[in-house]
Amino acid sequence: MIVLSWALGMLLAGSLIYCVLILVATHRYLSVPAPPDGETPPISLLKPMCGDEEGLEENLRSFFEQDYPAFEILFAVHRSDDPAVAVVEKVQREYAGRIESRLIVTGESPVPNAKAYSLQRLVAEARHDLLVMSDSDVRVSRGLFRQLAREAAGAQVGLVTCPYRSVAPASVWSKMEAIGMNTEFLGGVFVSRMLEKMKFALGPAIAIRRGMLEAIGGFAYVREFLAEDFVLGNRTAQLGFEVVLSSMVVEHRIGKQSMVENLSHRLRWARSTRRSRPVGYWGQIFTYPLPLAMLFCAVQPGAWPIALLTLVLRVSAAWATANNVLHDPLMRKQWWLLPLQDVLGFLVWIGGFQGKKIVWRDRECTLLADGRLQVNP
């Protein structure tokens, strides 16, 4: 019991230090001066699509409404009967003659990462040098392209990636995931940025120049990885270029999920993170101060003042990311979900150590040790 108490105490102390690091890292992110206005090179937006998601039409419309002088939008689906096609064509008709857009049917993906295959096909069709990639479940403000162009202008900038605010429907499971993404996940991004600079990218919105993408090896290089966004950013940093965390926040619209769907989704990404960043995955234990405090109090019942301090620091760190950066109304209104999310996230983290099989886009795959995907027969 003494050894267990000592071990839990050390982990909890590290977790409290981590909360303080989030507060400092968030302040540093918010203190970065805005880049000056500059050129507005034409942009090719690449949109891989799969299915008719909740809010898809409004998501797409937010990109057609960009306040930017010259851009094109390219969509990709694997089959012409994909439900997303009707939504894309409706929005295209609405903006016909004003915004150039094209829809490409790629056929079924011959490689494990179907999204990377779609992006590879879209890059081949894109006309412009500055490429912006964004998922179909993302909604943005009208100034996104202008801000990305400013931030991508530096000579040493290889890639720009955007923090995102997860927005959930009226499902408690989706809401807890959104709170976890807007606090625990984003806090980890800020701390990583502060300690070692950005060495990865976030999938919802990425800007990269064609030459940089070619230097990485293009999407042919990442098509066997599940976390292709992480690999793009990691390779950019390895080549000596800067990965910029944008000041522009985008919205990631989480669909309504049942408990089983949500836990399956979480476990898939937990296993992916464990394969992509094995050392970092072990370090995630420090991102769960409340569960650690509960365990510590279970073996040391008189430690409730430490538990109270833990609660104060965890809520402060969560407020710094969710409110100060993301301006997240969910955290303001349903803050009481935070402890429940932390416990659930802790259990999912433990579950992520087990298993290497996932189901993604209706394909059963095996995650290999280096983060690559192997489609099961």
Side-chain angles (χ1 to χ4, degrees):
M1 186 64 70
I2 294 176
V3 173
L4 180 59
S5 296
W6 180 86
L8 286 172
M10 292 297 292
L11 290 173
L12 181 55
S15 193
L16 296 181
I17 293 172
Y18 179 74
C19 288
V20 175
L21 288 176
I22 291 177
L23 293 171
V24 175
T26 302
H27 175 73
R28 290 193 179 183
Y29 167 77
L30 291 172
S31 300
V32 174
D37 291 339
E39 297 181 1
T40 52
I43 286 175
S44 291
L45 173 68
L46 314 180
K47 275 277 186 185
M49 310 290 293
C50 185
D52 183 5
E53 302 172 276
E54 182 179 344
L56 179 59
E57 184 176 331
E58 289 305 313
N59 296 346
L60 301 185
R61 188 174 283 111
S62 70
F63 286 91
F64 279 87
E65 289 286 344
Q66 285 299 297
D67 177 20
Y68 199 75
F71 64 95
E72 63 174 358
I73 303 178
L74 285 74
F75 301 96
V77 293
H78 297 303
R79 303 185 311 274
S80 59
D81 62 350
D82 189 301
V85 171
V87 182
V88 170
E89 290 179 341
K90 177 183 178 182
V91 180
Q92 283 181 310
R93 288 193 297 270
E94 182 179 339
Y95 292 88
R98 289 186 287 159
I99 305 298
E100 181 183 355
S101 65
R102 285 172 281 157
L103 174 64
I104 299 165
V105 180
T106 66
E108 293 296 338
S109 172
V111 299
N113 189 324
K115 175 186 171 183
Y117 174 68
S118 293
L119 287 168
Q120 184 178 8
R121 293 289 305 274
L122 289 173
V123 169
E125 297 286 338
R127 296 172 180 169
H128 305 309
D129 179 62
L130 184 55
L131 308 172
V132 174
M133 296 159 280
S134 178
D135 294 339
S136 58
D137 56 5
V138 171
R139 193 173 299 180
V140 299
S141 63
R142 298 183 73 241
L144 174 70
F145 286 177
R146 196 172 293 274
Q147 185 66 17
L148 291 179
R150 290 191 191 108
E151 292 170 335
Q156 288 302 309
V157 174
L159 181 150
V160 181
T161 187
C162 292
Y164 55 90
R165 175 176 59 251
S166 292
V167 178
S171 161
V172 67
W173 302 102
S174 297
K175 286 182 177 180
M176 283 197 293
E177 181 180 6
I179 286 177
M181 297 299 291
N182 295 346
T183 60
E184 170 201 326
F185 174 77
L186 187 59
V189 170
F190 288 150
V191 170
S192 180
R193 173 184 176 273
M194 179 177 70
L195 296 181
E196 59 177 8
K197 297 185 178 181
M198 291 291 292
K199 294 185 177 179
F200 55 91
L202 308 177
I206 294 173
I208 189 170
R209 295 194 179 278
R210 191 184 296 270
M212 187 73 250
L213 184 61
E214 291 172 353
I216 291 170
F219 284 102
Y221 178 81
V222 301
R223 64 187 184 183
E224 294 182 350
F225 290 92
L226 174 59
E228 81 289 330
D229 50 351
F230 172 86
V231 176
L232 283 174
N234 191 247
R235 282 290 294 156
T236 299
Q238 287 176 357
L239 292 173
F241 290 87
E242 184 181 359
V243 177
V244 173
L245 184 62
S246 176
S247 62
M248 178 63 70
V249 174
V250 301
E251 282 191 358
H252 169 225
R253 314 289 292 197
I254 298 178
K256 187 175 182 180
Q257 297 174 327
S258 66
M259 179 183 72
V260 172
E261 291 171 334
N262 185 261
L263 292 179
S264 175
H265 162 76
R266 289 184 182 220
L267 281 171
R268 184 183 79 212
W269 284 109
R271 290 166 179 163
S272 170
T273 303
R274 176 169 60 90
R275 296 290 187 174
S276 300
R277 304 178 67 192
V279 176
Y281 191 76
W282 278 99
Q284 283 185 22
I285 191 170
F286 295 111
T287 68
Y288 301 107
L290 293 182
L292 290 174
M294 293 167 63
L295 292 172
F296 187 65
C297 285
V299 298
Q300 293 287 340
W304 63 265
I306 296 178
L308 182 59
L309 173 63
T310 301
L311 180 62
V312 170
L313 284 176
R314 172 65 179 122
V315 171
S316 298
W319 192 256
T321 59
N323 183 75
N324 297 353
V325 176
L326 301 181
H327 307 292
D328 177 27
L330 177 61
M331 181 64 185
R332 297 172 188 165
K333 296 177 182 178
Q334 297 187 282
W335 53 267
W336 51 270
L337 286 173
L338 180 65
L340 299 177
Q341 155 56 30
D342 280 5
V343 172
L344 181 59
F346 183 64
L347 295 175
V348 170
W349 175 76
I350 293 173
F353 284 101
Q354 301 296 318
K356 56 184 179 180
K357 292 185 177 180
I358 64 169
V359 176
W360 189 48
R361 298 295 191 186
D362 298 325
R363 290 178 167 187
E364 185 179 278
C365 304
T366 298
L367 270 171
L368 304 180
D370 61 354
R372 295 178 188 268
L373 280 173
Q374 176 180 287
V375 179
N376 299 335

